[in-house]
Amino acid sequence: MNFVEKLFGTHSDHELKLIQPIVDRILALQPQMRAMSDEELKAQTPKFKERLANGETLDDLLPEAFATVREAAKRVLGMEHYPVQLIGGIVLHQGRIAEMKTGEGKTLVSTCPAYLNALAGKGVYIVTVNDYLAKRDAEWMGEVHRFLGLTVGVVLNQMTPDERRAAYNCDITYVTNNELGFDYLRDNMAIYKEQLVLRNLDYCIIDEVDSVLIDEARTPLIISGQSGKSTKLYEVCDVLARQLVRGEESAEFSKMAAIMGEEITETGDFIVNEKDKVANLTEQGVHKVEQFFKIKNLADPENIEIEHNMNLALRANYLMFRDKDYVVKDNEVLIVDEFTGRIMPGRRYSDGLHQAIEAKEHVQVRRESKTLATITFQNFFNKFAKKAGMTGTAQTEEKEFRNIYGMDVIVIPTNKPVIRVDHEDAVYKTKKEKFEAVVEDVVETHEKGQPVLVGTITIETSELISNMLKKRGIPHKVLNAKYHELEAEIVADAGVHGAVTIATNMAGRGTDIKLDEESRKLGGLKIIGTERHESRRIDNQLRGRSGRQGDPGESRFYISLEDDLMRLFGSERLMSMFNAMGVPEGERIQHKMLSRAIENAQKKIEENNYGIRENLFRYDEVMNDQREAIYAIRRRVLNGENMRDMVIRMITEIVENAVDMSIADDQGPAEWDLAELNSLVLPIIPLGAIQLTEDQQDMRKEELKHLLKEKAVKLYEAKEAEFPQIEQLREVERVVLLRVIDAKWMDHIDDMDQLRQGIGLQAYGQRDPLVEYKMTGYQMFNDMLSSVREDTVRVLMHVRVEQKVEREQQATITGTNRDESAMRAPVRRKVRKIYPNDPCPCGSGKKFKQCHGKMVYDLIAQGQQPTREALQKAAEAAAAQNPANRQDA
Ligand code: ADP
């Protein structure tokens, strides 16, 4: 608590005061609800809906609706919401984050806002972190909602589109963040409206919201298809990467050293910087790679692929660790979420890293994939009209929730005071000493009969502790977040007398650990952390598994100076502290100052990680605006909207553009470059060569535009007339639009990705790379839109009617025109066109038409049509004369 908070109370205190009166009203309704028969209670739902229809708001209904759910839960589940649970429910209804400790009954909390908001009929999604929880909660809490006459659905991984659609159409739907996000992306790749499964994104309540919006924010959802590229290079680079010699770490080890401006000297073939998660070749390494591949210069653009793959191979071999970052199961590399230890099936590292790891692990290297659609959770969840979240640990990330998601965090008091004892960290010099101490603690606690839960960050550590315990003959269970359902059952029993459980962060998360009487007397569940996590939040989660609902309990973290966290931040200082204190081998120290130093290290990393996520968000925002625009057009097309107006507008825009590109405003008809104009228009709109007749010699540019637009539209009208039923062409328009948009958009995703990487790599002097990215991205998007326009019109202008046009065959109609040349973007003019009144490129200061262009324009004056080439040549000749252009001098 800072000074201001001490004086005025925290943000949460303030907000809780505003909420309390509403809670009081709900509680006051209890006798009235209790007096109702089941039938009367159920009849509340249609009454509420009617009142909504008559203009009352959800806020008006809130006290009665919550009181209704409270009473229903009591009758159906035997649980009546505690007052603090009602507070939580109100916070969720208000679109905020409710921080409620583990065991406070968040599952039940969500029933009130879910019910209330479902009354509006737009659908409420309750988002969980795994299928098991979605299913469990839908069944468990579904009873209350069904009792009150609402429909409840659940979406699970293996479900078909039809099943999904049905589930999403329920009043309340339980679904995981992954399924929901992927369904959104798939919906936006649909070709027919009937394929859509989601409704509008109206209101969602995200369970374990920190896990979804913070921990997973860095891994975007990606739907990809395969490209035809070979995978050989990955294997070759992997072999080479293993032969290279790793350079001295100490040279670049400390961030502090870098800040202090210490010189970095390179040794070996490559240097690995774990903190920033980069691996780079040294000069010597570059040389070895060049020799190996028999190339002159690795930095040459033509070797970009080798360079990229080499880099990936280094990262795969020296920065990605098996059983920590990923696991290998059934010949597949599966990503492990760094924060939660959860395996993320179906997700792949992007940009070739996954392939590089496959090469490293000698499993089949899958073909490189092309991204067809992608979105970050950040942008996805921001699409909801209203969103709310709940979790045991959100406060440490309050700033991020506020800045990126527009949600504030309200800390809800616990139902009963927490009496768990959190001990100071026990710090050791080496990992070995630390693990021995952990095991000793487990053995002693177990001998007393007190249950222990050992929390680890990696599967590796879990196994290590497990082996050590086996040697000591201590029976125990190990959970790795591999089998959610089974592990939930095991973890539920972690609080019984004598139980010893080892679990990674995510294993069995969200499951209630109940104490038996004996354990309660012995001090409750003891939590032993084997390492501090980068994020304090994850540590708090582990602690929070003990001491639920006023239970006794204790917790302690074990740390060594060799731990990653310590190594990366400040272990040198701590080591000297150790030495100063004269701590002998094997002895632990516990000191406030140590704990504070560790917390500071965590804070630093948290800030760093937040920076990375915020950066990702800012960059993705650029893509997001574009995605919105594209998806909006798609949606109109899918909805069967008549696209004729859009097509006509595209046609006229193409004509206008072409005229503007080939004719300057101040040119008279005699100077018009009709050849150029023809070359721009005719491949797209087959108007027939544009020529001026005798009586058109004093036409103005605008008139020409108008005339051509009219002709082009007439041509399209003639096309329309070819169709026996105009609706057939309308359908063709929609299909062509969708196809062209999708193809261009998918290429654009790649282009933007490359742009982004390029910008990350290049130093932009004083310029902000994000601004550069935005500007260039915007321009690329516009280019993409104009090529969508050109391709769509080109295809439609060349569509031919065949007999019996059915929906399936319409695809063939367009298919015939969809050959390579038709789909390829038009070659853009590299050299700027030169206009008569431009300054002459020779640098004389005269106008081009009066200087090097004079000869050509004289020919025009004699009534000849100048060719574009002739003008170009004159311009080039002029440029060659310009001393400023001469490099050989
Ligand atoms: P959380 O997700 O907040 O950790 P859970 O939703 O798993 O908590 O609930 C913890 C336990 O408390 C569950 O066993 C649940 O049945 C119980 N519980 C929750 N609310 C109540 C209540 N109002 N009355 C009685 N038991 C409750």
Side-chain angles (χ1 to χ4, degrees), residues 848-862:
F848 179 57
K849 69 179 176 194
Q850 284 152 5
C851 188
H852 279 80
K854 188 164 189 314
M855 208 175 77
V856 186
Y857 285 101
D858 284 343
L859 288 174
I860 298 175
Q862 291 161 23

Side-chain angles (χ1 to χ4, degrees), residues 7 29 132 241 246 372 487 658 758:
L7 209 58
L29 286 166
Y132 160 71
R246 181 172 179 159
L372 306 181
E487 297 187 357

Side-chain angles (χ1 to χ4, degrees), residues 610-658:
Y610 171 44
I612 293 173
R613 288 188 297 264
E614 189 179 25
N615 205 34
L616 177 78
F617 179 66
R618 298 290 164 228
Y619 274 92
D620 192 59
E621 254 181 345
V622 179
M623 268 287 276
N624 195 52
D625 292 343
Q626 302 178 353
R627 184 169 36 225
E628 295 266 288
I630 290 294
Y631 284 3
I633 304 181
R634 278 195 114 262
R635 202 44 70 105
R636 285 173 56 194
V637 175
L638 276 191
N639 280 334
E641 220 176 275
N642 186 333
M643 288 291 133
R644 183 182 193 269
D645 286 353
M646 186 183 276
V647 172
I648 296 292
R649 197 167 59 240
M650 287 177 161
I651 293 173
T652 56
E653 279 169 2
I654 287 172
V655 172
E656 283 189 23
N657 253 357

Side-chain angles (χ1 to χ4, degrees), residues 67-246:
T68 303
V69 177
R70 187 166 186 244
E71 180 61 25
K74 179 171 182 286
R75 292 187 197 181
V76 179
L77 303 175
M79 296 192 283
E80 187 172 37
H81 297 69
Y82 305 127
V84 289
Q85 289 179 313
L86 296 174
I87 301 178
I90 294 168
V91 168
L92 293 181
H93 165 69
Q94 292 173 337
R96 308 165 129 181
I97 290 175
E99 179 179 288
M100 301 184 75
K101 299 268 171 297
T102 321
E104 289 295 301
K106 289 185 278 296
T107 325
L108 185 66
V109 168
S110 64
T111 50
C112 289
Y115 172 80
L116 175 64
N117 285 271
L119 292 171
K122 290 186 227 158
V124 173
Y125 298 150
I126 301 196
V127 180
T128 65
V129 292
N130 64 50
D131 267 11
Y132 160 71
L133 290 173
K135 193 159 163 267
R136 183 198 75 177
D137 294 354
E139 281 165 11
W140 192 18
M141 297 299 141
E143 285 188 52
V144 181
H145 295 303
R146 278 187 290 265
F147 175 86
L148 289 171
L150 295 185
T151 52
V152 176
V154 58
V155 177
L156 301 172
N157 184 264
Q158 71 285 358
M159 281 186 173
T160 65
D162 287 341
E163 290 170 317
R164 283 165 193 266
R165 193 174 308 109
Y168 285 125
N169 275 325
C170 291
D171 293 309
I172 297 168
T173 310
Y174 288 82
V175 56
T176 65
N177 52 329
N178 277 345
E179 295 303 320
L180 187 59
F182 278 129
D183 278 332
Y184 173 78
L185 289 180
R186 279 189 291 257
D187 268 7
N188 282 297
M189 292 168 69
I191 297 291
Y192 298 112
K193 195 183 178 187
E194 303 82 69
Q195 296 170 330
L196 301 180
V197 300
L198 278 169
R199 297 206 245 175
N200 288 337
L201 304 179
D202 188 59
Y203 177 47
C204 67
I205 299 174
I206 308 170
D207 193 8
E208 312 278 10
V209 65
D210 54 332
S211 170
V212 175
L213 296 189
I214 308 263
D215 298 338
E216 294 206 24
R218 284 204 281 187
T219 325
L221 292 168
I222 294 173
I223 294 188
S224 50
Q226 295 192 332
S227 84
K229 255 195 192 157
S230 157
T231 57
K232 200 84 209 141
L233 191 55
Y234 290 107
E235 284 152 17
V236 178
C237 286
D238 181 67
V239 171
L240 181 56
R242 285 161 193 266
Q243 293 171 2
L244 295 180
V245 181
R246 181 172 179 159

